[in-house]
Amino acid sequence: MEQMTYILLEDHPLYREGLKRYITEHFPSSKCLYDGANYLHAKNVISETKPSIAIVDLHLGDGLTPIEIVSLFSSADIPVLVISAINNFESIKSAFSMGATGFVSKESTTDKFGKAIESVLQGRDWIPPSLGHALHFSKSISDQLSPQEKKALILYSSGLKLAVVARRMDVAPSTVKQYIDRAKLKFRSNGLSIRTKTDIYRILRDEGLVQ
């Protein structure tokens, strides 16, 4: 196996250090490209190099949504292993919907964590067997959207203006509009009427992507 390079995005220092020690012991040739809780630092790192895997917490305490955190990496085609204290169907569904490959509860053993890393590196989904049903939900129309299209729709439907969504996504407003227009077209091709921001919100809510 090639050298594993990774980003560890986690806001609890003691937990983060424990994970790093485990990775160093069980993947001795691995290299950490960034560890911490700063989303922008992680973003700068992946603008210059592509890690083998991103290990991320869904909640960093900085106001960013799980969707933004996961899609930062999935949109760059970086495998994502989510670690979270939230261990329920909706959080798992949301993470995988945005492109995560694996999900490990913070209550899991380190052995499970190691197996999850190996699985994700090999391109296979990983989820605790007791929560396996979360991956077997029926395919929704939003699964046809790219991570960027989905992210733009979710932020826009949450009430943000186009220019604000563009800043959050670090793209031009015209690009955000293209994402939204393409997503609308995909919904319409599946027989859904979608004209307003309220229509977008209603569909995403029904699919469990927004509250």
Side-chain angles (χ1 to χ4, degrees), residues 2 12 14 17 22 25 28 33 51 67 86 91 97 99 102 113 128 132-133 161-163 169 177 183 196-197 204:
E2 295 181 1
H12 290 89
L14 288 177
E17 286 304 313
Y22 175 86
E25 291 173 4
L33 302 180
I67 290 156
I86 299 176
S91 60
S97 178
F113 177 61
H133 68 281
K161 293 183 178 179
L162 207 64
M169 296 185 67
K177 187 176 185 305
T196 67
K197 185 180 290 190
L204 297 182

Side-chain angles (χ1 to χ4, degrees), residues 169-189:
M169 296 185 67
D170 197 23
V171 297
S174 59
T175 302
V176 173
K177 187 176 185 305
Q178 289 176 9
Y179 290 149
I180 293 172
D181 288 344
R182 288 205 302 260
K184 284 181 176 179
L185 184 61
K186 291 177 182 178
F187 281 125
R188 288 171 184 150
S189 68

Side-chain angles (χ1 to χ4, degrees), residues 34-79:
Y34 171 74
D35 72 280
N38 193 305
Y39 174 94
L40 292 179
H41 284 188
K43 186 175 183 179
N44 288 337
V45 169
I46 67 171
S47 70
E48 298 177 356
T49 186
K50 183 178 178 180
S52 310
I53 187 172
I55 303 167
V56 305
D57 192 350
L58 288 180
H59 299 89
L60 299 174
D62 55 6
L64 290 169
T65 66
I67 290 156
E68 291 175 283
I69 295 168
V70 173
S71 65
L72 169 66
F73 303 102
S74 63
S75 62
D77 199 29
I78 298 167

